[in-house]
Amino acid sequence: MSSLLDFLNRLFGRVEKSSSDIAKKRLRLVLVQDRSNMSPEVLEELKEELIGVLTRYLEIDEVGMSVELDKSDDSVALVASIPVKSVKVRVPKIRSLEPTGVSE
Amino acid sequence: MSGQVIVVTSGKGGVGKTTVVANIGTGLAAAGHKTVLVDADIGLRNLDLIMGLENRIVYDIVDVVEGRCELKKALIRDKRVEGLQLLPASQTRDKTAVSPEQMKELCQQLREEFDFVIIDCPAGIEHGFHTAVAGADKAIVVSMPEVSALRDADKIVGLLEASELTDPYLIVNRIRMDMVQRGDMLDVNDMTDILGLQVKVLGIVPDDQSIIVSANRGEPIVLDNRSRAGQAFRNIVRRLQGEEVEFMDLSQGGLMLRLKRLVGLAK
Ligand SMILES: Nc1ncnc2c1ncn2[C@@H]1O[C@H](COP(=O)(O)OP(=O)(O)OP(=O)(O)O)[C@@H](O)[C@H]1O
Ligand SMILES: [Mg+2]
């Protein structure tokens, strides 16, 4: 019965998205968000390591800095706002020659 | 000897974990492997009932880990299949009665004696989950083609990874091909698309009333040669033993197949 109805609907141009397509689309979006949940501790660790790398090149304002995961409907972005005080004028040394000061 | 420890989990409740454990356990034993089923759903003991062994329980898993009885004494022999045993859950205690370390130790002991140790995990992501997965080498995630079950399955896949149980198997339970064909149910491909490449489909089990009937009787459906769900479980058992088995075509499970069977064109 219902397939006859479907057929008639299609015949008269009332194409409706199937409920499984809708489910698939909704699941895709919600899982992007679910999977991006980072614990505050891990985010803090990420921030510390970022500071370690950045200070090799820049003098930054660590207090005014923010690092966040920004979740919109269909994507997740790491949004960092890092006030720069000055750019260090030097040729960056090769990594392996200098301890980075980044703690594990 | 060192057997394989497999945990059957899902996140969401009621999707078929206990049914899967009973059937693949029975199937593996029927194929000649020494198999033990561990009911880790402490406080909500059910595997014994599905196996039809509820009247034989004297000791349970908590008695074993608390040292009140020897492991061997707590194991219950299956009444149908040789080489199959059950370690029942406690019905009176709660999930905290067994710790992950105790579960690891228990699995270690069991794998010395058995080819397969199959663990029935409780629903949820709390203590009971962490305990149930603690001693496992491999995980089977059971899910249904339905949004909330899939979302929870995805969460479980992540948690399993954090417990170093990577590349889990997926069993899709209760699929209804009539609904898939109508566009009203997610298909297996949709499900693997959503969950990602790391999950490997171990089997697809149709929604089948005979599973309820077999639960009523306490006889796993895998032993019923005429049942489609039983066939699906027998295929899963063969895949677990390393055989390549094609997925069943579930689309003609309805009237046509019954007609064909009637006239002897299909079995
Ligand atoms: N393929 C199937 N077709 C029809 N009914 C099924 C199927 N699989 C499971 N069921 C029924 O669904 C119900 C739940 O199954 P089961 O107890 O195995 O789930 P569970 O995941 O172990 O639940 P819980 O999370 O409560 O432990 C039972 O009544 C069972 O008979
Ligand atoms: Mg259960």
Side-chain angles (χ1 to χ4, degrees):
Chain A
M1 255 336 268
S2 79
S3 58
L4 179 64
L5 202 69
D6 282 350
F7 175 74
L8 288 176
N9 274 340
R10 243 168 264 153
L11 194 68
F12 293 108
R14 267 201 288 162
V15 243
E16 228 175 281
K17 255 193 147 176
S18 77
S19 76
S20 67
D21 283 339
I22 296 169
K24 204 170 159 181
K25 184 151 171 266
R26 288 178 60 224
L27 269 168
R28 279 239 168 84
L29 298 185
V30 80
L31 291 185
V32 168
Q33 298 221 356
D34 286 359
R35 287 170 185 170
S36 67
N37 267 333
M38 221 186 214
S39 73
E41 297 85 54
V42 177
L43 198 60
E44 197 52 39
E45 217 177 291
L46 170 73
K47 202 166 140 185
E48 294 298 317
E49 289 199 26
L50 264 181
I51 291 173
V53 173
L54 291 171
T55 48
R56 296 216 306 266
Y57 301 86
L58 308 162
E59 203 178 310
I60 60 171
D61 173 14
E62 290 181 27
V63 184
M65 160 178 183
S66 81
V67 176
E68 283 165 353
L69 278 183
D70 187 58
K71 297 171 201 170
S72 69
D73 273 357
D74 57 356
S75 68
V76 178
L78 180 74
V79 179
S81 160
I82 304 162
V84 177
K85 285 182 181 161
S86 69
V87 178
K88 288 181 182 173
V89 197
R90 60 161 185 134
V91 184
K93 291 196 177 119
I94 296 166
R95 245 206 226 152
S96 60
L97 293 179
E98 193 189 46
T100 57
V102 178
S103 57
E104 283 289 317
Chain B
M1 181 167 87
S2 185
Q4 214 190 340
V5 183
I6 303 174
V7 63
V8 178
T9 179
S10 70
K12 188 171 157 62
V15 300
K17 295 177 290 300
T18 303
T19 306
V20 164
V21 169
N23 282 290
I24 64 179
T26 303
L28 283 167
H33 303 282
K34 274 194 83 180
T35 303
V36 62
L37 313 181
V38 178
D39 191 348
D41 200 348
I42 300 164
L44 292 168
R45 175 206 275 171
N46 267 330
L47 187 53
D48 55 331
L49 204 54
I50 299 305
M51 296 294 296
L53 298 171
E54 68 278 11
N55 292 327
R56 305 185 174 194
I57 298 176
V58 184
Y59 298 107
D60 60 52
I61 188 170
V62 178
D63 294 319
V64 173
V65 301
E66 291 183 351
R68 270 190 301 278
C69 105
E70 258 182 69
L71 176 56
K72 280 217 168 84
K73 267 175 79 181
L75 295 176
I76 299 162
R77 270 173 212 290
D78 187 63
K79 47 185 178 191
R80 293 175 205 89
V81 183
E82 172 86 24
L84 180 61
Q85 305 200 36
L86 166 73
L87 180 59
S90 161
Q91 182 67 341
T92 51
R93 302 288 295 276
D94 65 28
K95 307 278 185 268
T96 58
V98 177
S99 71
E101 290 70 37
Q102 289 169 325
M103 184 57 118
K104 260 190 204 163
E105 169 67 33
L106 186 68
C107 290
Q108 210 50 45
Q109 273 176 273
L110 288 170
R111 66 161 17 119
E112 301 280 302
E113 296 288 321
F114 293 91
D115 303 321
F116 286 97
V117 181
I118 316 283
I119 303 171
D120 189 7
C121 181
I125 54 174
E126 294 83 20
H127 184 95
F129 165 77
H130 290 288
T131 298
V133 306
D137 312 314
K138 190 82 192 174
I140 295 176
V141 176
V142 183
S143 192
M144 299 199 322
E146 186 234 292
V147 288
S148 46
L150 271 169
R151 185 189 197 173
D152 293 0
D154 188 74
K155 173 105 188 189
I156 285 293
V157 170
L159 292 174
L160 287 169
E161 225 160 71
S163 301
E164 282 162 32
L165 283 166
T166 49
D167 306 325
Y169 288 129
L170 175 72
I171 291 183
V172 176
N173 191 23
R174 307 197 71 161
I175 201 154
R176 287 185 50 181
M177 285 321 285
D178 56 332
M179 287 188 73
V180 171
Q181 278 158 356
R182 237 187 285 141
D184 278 332
M185 186 176 269
L186 290 163
D187 197 358
V188 181
N189 293 334
D190 297 332
M191 292 177 68
T192 49
D193 260 12
I194 287 162
L195 291 176
L197 292 171
Q198 75 276 23
V199 299
K200 184 170 179 289
V201 180
L202 182 64
I204 307 159
V205 183
D207 191 77
D208 188 339
Q209 294 180 10
S210 60
I211 288 193
I212 312 264
V213 176
S214 81
N216 288 344
R217 297 187 203 275
E219 292 170 2
I221 193 93
V222 70
L223 297 173
D224 178 353
N225 285 323
R226 288 160 314 173
S227 150
R228 310 258 304 152
Q231 183 62 49
F233 282 120
R234 284 192 292 281
N235 289 351
I236 289 173
V237 167
R238 287 171 62 194
R239 289 184 198 112
L240 274 178
Q241 298 174 95
E243 262 181 75
E244 293 259 343
V245 187
E246 251 188 75
F247 291 107
M248 279 161 68
D249 181 11
L250 295 170
S251 54
Q252 45 165 349
L255 186 64
M256 266 323 278
L257 187 74
R258 259 176 274 157
L259 281 176
K260 278 188 189 164
R261 270 186 200 149
L262 210 64
V263 298
L265 281 172
K267 51 174 181 162

